[in-house]
Structure formats: C-alpha cells, structure tokens
Amino acid sequence: MSRNGNRPNYKLTYMDFFFKIVKKRRLSLFRRVDISGLKAKLIFIMLLLSAILMVLLLAIYTRAERELIRQVERHTDELSAAIQISIEQLTNPSDEISDIKLKQYVERVKGKGIKEVSILTNEREVIASSNPALTGKVIDIKGDRVKTSSEVQEFMSIAKGRRNYDIFLPVVVGNEQFGFVHIAMQFDDFAELMHSNNIKRLFATGIVFVIGIITSVFLATRYTRPINNLSAAAERVASGDLAISLPEKGGGEIKKLTEHFNKMVKGLSETKELEARLKEAEHLSTIGHLASGIAHEVRNPLNFINLSIAHIANKFSPDDERCKEEFINTINGIKGEVQRLNNMIVNFLDYGKPLKLKIQNIPLDTIIEDVLRVVEHKILEDNIIVEKRFSEDDLTAPVDAQQIKICILNLILNSIQAVEGNKGRIIVEASKNDEHIIIKVLDNGCGILEENLMKVYEPYFTTKEVGIGLGLSITKRIVEEHGGGIDIKSEYSMGTTAIIKLPAHKG
Ligand SMILES: Nc1ncnc2c1ncn2[C@@H]1O[C@H](COP(=O)(O)OP(=O)(O)OP(=O)(O)O)[C@@H](O)[C@H]1O
Ligand SMILES: [Mg+2]
C-alpha cells in the first residue's frame, strides 16, 4: 500500500464535516421558521419590496447611463469635427475660413454643452467663430487671464446663473504657435439631464415607498383584524360571555391563537356549567333533605285524615236527601284536596330516588279513567268541561301503572290549574301510532310564556304560588325510564298541549 493510500483524506473529512453542519443548520432553521407564519410572510414581503426597489433603481440607472454615454459620444464627434476645422484653418491660412461650417457643427452640439467654437490668433482676436458677432473681437476671460502659452487653459465661471466652461486649445506646429481654438461650454444642459434623472430616481423611490406603505397598511389591517377580534372576544369572555367561538380561518400563528382561545373558552364554559350543576346539586340535596323530613311528617296525618273522612262518610251520612248531597260534596272536596296534597308529597319524596319500575301490560285508557276519577270533584267544582277521545286501537302498554298514573295526574292537574277561573275545557286523547301509545292533554288555559317553555322540566321551576315545580320534572323522568318521551307545546294565553309517548305492547 502506498504512503498516500495510508494517509487519511483530511480534505474530504473537513468537507463532510462542513456539509453536515450546513445541513443541520438548514434543517433546524426550516423547522424554526413556519413558512405560513406571520414572521415568514413579513420577511418575504420585505424581500420582495427590496427586490422591486433594486430592480427599478437598476433599470433607471442603466437607462440614464446609456443616455449619458450616447450624448457624450455625440458631443465628442461634433466637437472633434469642429476642432478639426479650426486647426486646419489656423495651420492652413490659405483656406477660406468658413464661419458657416463652424456654425453648422456648433449648432449640432449646442444645447448639449457646447456653446461656441472660435478660432483665435495668438493675440486672442477672433478670426472665425460659430458666433459671427465675435469675429474681429478680442476674447477676454476674467481680467485677461488667458496667457499666450502653448498649454491648454481652462476657465470656470458663473454668469447669469449658468455655469460656463472655457477651454483654450493652443494650435502648435513644431515650435510655432498659430493661435487658439476657443471652446465655450455651458454645463446647464448636463445639469438638466442629471436633474431630470434625479427626479426620475426620486419618483421611482417614492412610488416604491407608496407601494410599500399601502402594502404595509393592507397587511397590518389584515393581520391585526383577527388580533382585534380576539381582543374583543377576550373582553367579552372577561365580562362573562362564554358562548363565544371565533372562526378558525387562515393559517399560522393567528389560527393557532384562535384555536387555543376557542379551546380555552370551551374549557371555561364547561367548568362554569359543572360549577352550576354542582351548586344545583348541593341546593337540591339541602332542600331535599329538609323537605323529605317534612313530607314524611305530613304524610302520616294525611293518611289519618283520609281514613277518617271515609269513616265519617260511612257513619255520619245525614238521612235528609238535600243535606246528604251537600255532605257528600264536602266529603269529596276534602278527599280531592287530600289526594292533591298526597300527590305533591309523593312527587317530592320520589324525586331523586332511583325508580324501580313494576312493569305490567295495562291498557292506558283505564289508567286515564282512574286519574280522571281522582280529580272528578275538582273538575265539577270548577265547571271544567272534560272531553275524552280514546281511539279504537289496543292502547295496552308495558308500564308501571302507579308511576304512569302519577304522570297523567301531573298533566291533568296542570291543565286544571291553568284553566282555573276560565271557561275551562280539557281534552284527554289516547291513540296508537306504529309502535307508540300517545297520550295528549290539551287545555285552553293560561298557556306558557315562550321564555319559560324550556324551563318547565327543571326541578323546582314553578310559576304557581302553591306549586313546588316537580310535576313535569318527575313526569319526564318516569316516561323516559319507560323508553318514551314528553313534549309540551304552548301558546301564551291560548292554551297548552302536553304529549306523552310510551312504547306500545307488542303482541
Ligand atoms: N297546562 C299548563 N298550562 C300552563 N302552564 C303550565 C302547564 N303545565 C305546566 N305549566 C307551567 O310549567 C310549570 C312547571 O310545571 P310543574 O308541573 O313541573 O310544576 P307546578 O305545577 O308548578 O308544581 P307541582 O306540579 O310540583 O305542584 C308550571 O308552574 C307552569 O308555569
Ligand atoms: Mg304541576
């Protein structure tokens, strides 16, 4: 193996190392810069604006430079022709001096810097000139500073706001000086060109700036709008409005921020809901404990009253027919009120207890008849017209009769209470529909305000002075335990329809 073969290839190792670092850096840079992010967008816009500015300025400079070069080339050509004539004229005096020829060349270069070209003797007397008025005159520049010398002399002066440049070119052949060629120049034309170029440059820069400002304002508005929306939403959240959700549009940081904000608000609202439920549960449990104690105590005397009433009705019924009727009415009235109180207590005590259903197949119309019998006295007392509409179908359903009785009683009692003092009319319907038995209790009572319609199933929601607000809440629970549902439709001051749906008996 050669020595070279054994030597490690350092060059290759260093290069590998370098590329590895570059690769690593590039990767981490790309990972850090999210291309859809605000930062990347701003960098891109700045780069774009700089590129536009550079291209624009470059174009203007190139154009101006080309124009300048073209002009200078033209001047040089014209000027060399004029000088050529002058020299020929001085060195070859036999030739006829042509002021016209000189004038022609100068005319062409006039306006581009050259004002006059004159041929002077050594004594600076004009022997020929593009300006014939000068012929025969002696040219003096600022107190006769032009020397009879074989050197080129230049003079700068400002007259009437114009910059003049005078060149005296000596025409020397061998040791003999024949005279001067005097070239009078004015730089204002070049200055004008430069000035117009400067204006163009300024104008271009201005345009780029205006574009930049418009773009910046547009972008600032576009990017700050979602931030402003977020800030307004945060303010609303701070004031307690948690039903807010912002549209998660676009990409990058703003989208991420909106997503996090929405998540945060959702979390807050869930926490708030949980807190409210916890509070309600605590409230219910306190009331429940207190009330169930009282309810138990009330139930015993109620049972005693019920039994005593039955005993009185049997034992002390008067013989006189008129008195007997009044006696029975009063007894029934007491029975009805005791039943109502008992119902309230049952509702109360059952609320919160897990339901243990004793399911039996029972025709629901018989349950409705039982319930109507219980409230018969109240119906008669309040002059309420009750209409029963039972369909011919088999209305049997697998239910816990006692529980469903409570439900129907709650609905009918609500209707009786709603039509109180009115020309009350209650319709109780029972029908079958595919797989369900549907019970409807309709009344022409006071109806329910729209804002209360959603609250009627809430426990302890009541608009009545003597109500507890558990009737519909318990009814809903029982019906749902049976696999059915409840719906309340109402129009304020027109009436209410309560609908119960229960799975029918399949058989
Ligand atoms: N048929 C109806 N007509 C008018 N309002 C009704 C009717 N049914 C229910 N409501 C309204 O719904 C509320 C809740 O009814 P729910 O039966 O749950 O409680 P309650 O009747 O007030 O008290 P409770 O039944 O516990 O004695 C009532 O207070 C009443 O405002
Ligand atoms: Mg009720």
Side-chain angles (χ1 to χ4, degrees):
M1 203 183 277
S2 75
R3 273 185 77 188
N4 266 356
N6 286 336
R7 199 188 296 153
N9 196 343
Y10 288 117
K11 218 177 184 175
L12 200 73
T13 321
Y14 290 144
M15 287 308 269
D16 278 353
F17 182 66
F18 172 74
F19 280 125
K20 250 184 213 168
I21 285 186
V22 168
K23 219 171 156 186
K24 230 183 195 174
R25 293 240 160 223
R26 253 177 54 195
L27 275 178
S28 67
L29 192 75
F30 277 118
R31 231 175 277 139
R32 249 181 290 145
V33 180
D34 176 7
I35 49 159
S36 63
L38 191 60
K39 204 163 135 193
K41 275 176 196 156
L42 287 177
I43 291 172
F44 174 72
I45 287 155
M46 291 309 292
L47 284 175
L48 193 72
L49 278 179
S50 309
I52 293 174
L53 185 65
M54 273 166 66
V55 168
L56 219 68
L57 290 181
L58 202 74
I60 289 172
Y61 276 132
T62 321
R63 253 192 90 188
E65 208 176 305
R66 240 183 260 151
E67 180 68 18
L68 214 65
I69 290 168
R70 230 179 288 137
Q71 290 221 21
V72 170
E73 275 172 5
R74 237 180 288 143
H75 292 183
T76 318
D77 289 351
E78 307 288 352
L79 196 61
S80 22
I83 293 169
Q84 187 68 39
I85 296 170
S86 310
I87 291 171
E88 274 171 18
Q89 204 58 59
L90 276 169
T91 53
N92 217 348
S94 58
D95 275 14
E96 209 177 286
I97 296 166
S98 174
D99 281 357
I100 300 154
K101 226 175 175 186
L102 256 185
K103 204 178 165 193
Q104 268 173 4
Y105 281 107
V106 175
E107 272 310 310
R108 268 188 252 164
V109 289
K110 227 180 190 178
K112 288 144 195 157
I114 309 296
K115 199 175 102 195
E116 288 163 3
V117 176
S118 312
I119 302 161
L120 278 65
T121 60
N122 281 336
E123 287 70 38
R124 302 181 312 282
E125 190 194 328
V126 178
I127 46 174
S129 173
S130 58
N131 179 4
L134 290 178
T135 316
K137 287 185 182 165
V138 173
I139 292 212
D140 275 334
I141 300 284
K142 283 204 175 172
D144 201 15
R145 278 187 295 151
V146 185
K147 294 168 207 149
T148 312
S149 129
S150 56
E151 278 169 24
V152 176
Q153 296 169 72
E154 295 166 52
F155 298 94
M156 286 287 277
S157 62
I158 294 175
K160 293 177 192 165
R162 295 194 151 227
R163 274 179 291 165
N164 296 318
Y165 183 50
D166 289 277
I167 307 171
F168 290 86
L169 297 166
V171 180
V172 182
V173 178
N175 288 329
E176 194 184 348
Q177 181 167 346
F178 288 88
F180 296 99
V181 176
H182 170 223
I183 301 159
M185 295 172 91
Q186 264 178 355
F187 281 123
D188 294 83
D189 297 319
F190 281 107
E192 259 167 40
L193 193 70
M194 302 279 271
H195 183 67
S196 89
N197 276 340
N198 275 344
I199 284 178
K200 273 185 202 164
R201 237 169 281 155
L202 262 174
F203 189 66
T205 317
I207 284 179
V208 173
F209 265 103
V210 169
I211 293 172
I213 286 168
I214 291 172
T215 319
S216 307
V217 170
F218 169 74
L219 286 173
T221 320
R222 204 192 139 138
Y223 287 112
T224 52
R225 196 181 300 133
I227 296 172
N228 288 341
N229 288 348
L230 264 170
S231 128
E235 236 171 74
R236 277 174 62 186
V237 169
S239 64
D241 178 5
L242 295 178
I244 201 166
S245 172
L246 293 174
E248 291 165 13
K249 285 189 287 192
E253 294 90 344
I254 300 292
K255 194 184 174 200
K256 260 187 219 158
L257 200 63
T258 315
E259 276 171 9
H260 290 315
F261 177 82
N262 283 344
K263 240 185 237 171
M264 182 194 78
V265 175
K266 206 176 155 207
L268 277 176
S269 104
E270 277 169 9
T271 316
K272 202 179 169 188
E273 218 170 90
L274 268 176
E275 272 173 12
R277 263 194 242 155
L278 204 72
K279 234 181 188 174
E280 195 188 305
E282 274 172 13
H283 179 69
L284 286 182
S285 119
T286 320
I287 292 179
H289 271 98
L290 256 171
S292 68
I294 297 168
H296 266 297
E297 291 307 313
V298 175
R299 215 175 175 190
N300 292 337
L302 270 186
N303 275 338
F304 177 72
I305 293 169
N306 220 7
L307 290 172
S308 305
I309 288 290
H311 182 70
I312 291 170
N314 282 336
K315 221 163 183 193
F316 302 104
S317 175
D319 296 330
D320 178 39
E321 273 309 309
R322 225 170 54 86
C323 290
K324 196 175 182 178
E325 199 188 323
E326 208 182 323
F327 177 78
I328 290 169
N329 275 347
T330 316
I331 290 289
N332 281 343
I334 297 170
K335 263 188 175 172
E337 285 307 299
V338 168
Q339 175 61 46
R340 200 174 67 83
L341 271 175
N342 199 50
N343 185 57
M344 276 169 81
I345 289 162
V346 167
N347 275 346
F348 203 81
L349 289 176
D350 283 355
Y351 190 77
K353 274 191 201 161
L355 284 178
K356 283 182 205 142
L357 300 179
K358 288 179 203 137
I359 303 288
Q360 278 176 312
N361 281 322
I362 296 169
L364 293 188
D365 45 338
T366 60
I367 295 185
I368 297 171
E369 294 280 13
D370 285 352
V371 173
L372 283 174
R373 220 168 291 125
V374 171
V375 291
E376 194 179 20
H377 172 72
K378 183 74 183 153
I379 287 168
L380 284 173
E381 197 182 85
D382 290 355
N383 283 325
I384 300 168
I385 301 163
V386 176
E387 202 182 310
K388 291 181 272 180
R389 292 183 189 165
F390 300 154
S391 79
E392 297 286 297
D393 305 303
D394 175 15
L395 300 174
T396 308
V399 294
D400 180 325
Q402 280 314 311
Q403 300 291 348
I404 294 300
K405 229 181 232 177
I406 291 172
C407 296
I408 296 168
L409 184 64
N410 275 328
L411 299 189
I412 293 177
L413 278 178
N414 277 348
S415 286
I416 290 173
Q417 287 156 3
V419 297
E420 232 168 13
N422 259 328
K423 285 181 181 164
R425 189 181 158 89
I426 298 173
I427 302 169
V428 187
E429 278 183 20
S431 59
K432 193 176 176 189
N433 146 14
D434 296 336
E435 295 174 344
H436 288 97
I437 307 289
I438 295 153
I439 298 167
K440 281 188 191 174
V441 180
L442 301 94
D443 66 61
N444 62 345
C446 58
I448 304 170
L449 282 171
E450 208 182 322
E451 68 251 36
N452 287 342
L453 211 55
M454 291 305 290
K455 300 183 196 160
V456 293
Y457 304 112
E458 286 174 16
Y460 306 111
F461 173 78
T462 183
T463 55
K464 298 168 193 168
E465 274 178 28
V466 288
I468 301 177
L470 284 178
L472 287 180
S473 150
I474 284 176
T475 304
K476 186 171 190 281
R477 195 168 143 221
I478 295 173
V479 169
E480 282 173 1
E481 283 285 323
H482 279 82
I486 181 170
D487 190 19
I488 306 276
K489 291 184 175 129
S490 186
E491 210 174 312
Y492 189 64
S493 81
M494 295 300 284
T496 305
T497 303
I499 306 159
I500 284 180
K501 238 183 184 185
L502 289 164
H505 168 62
K506 293 170 195 155

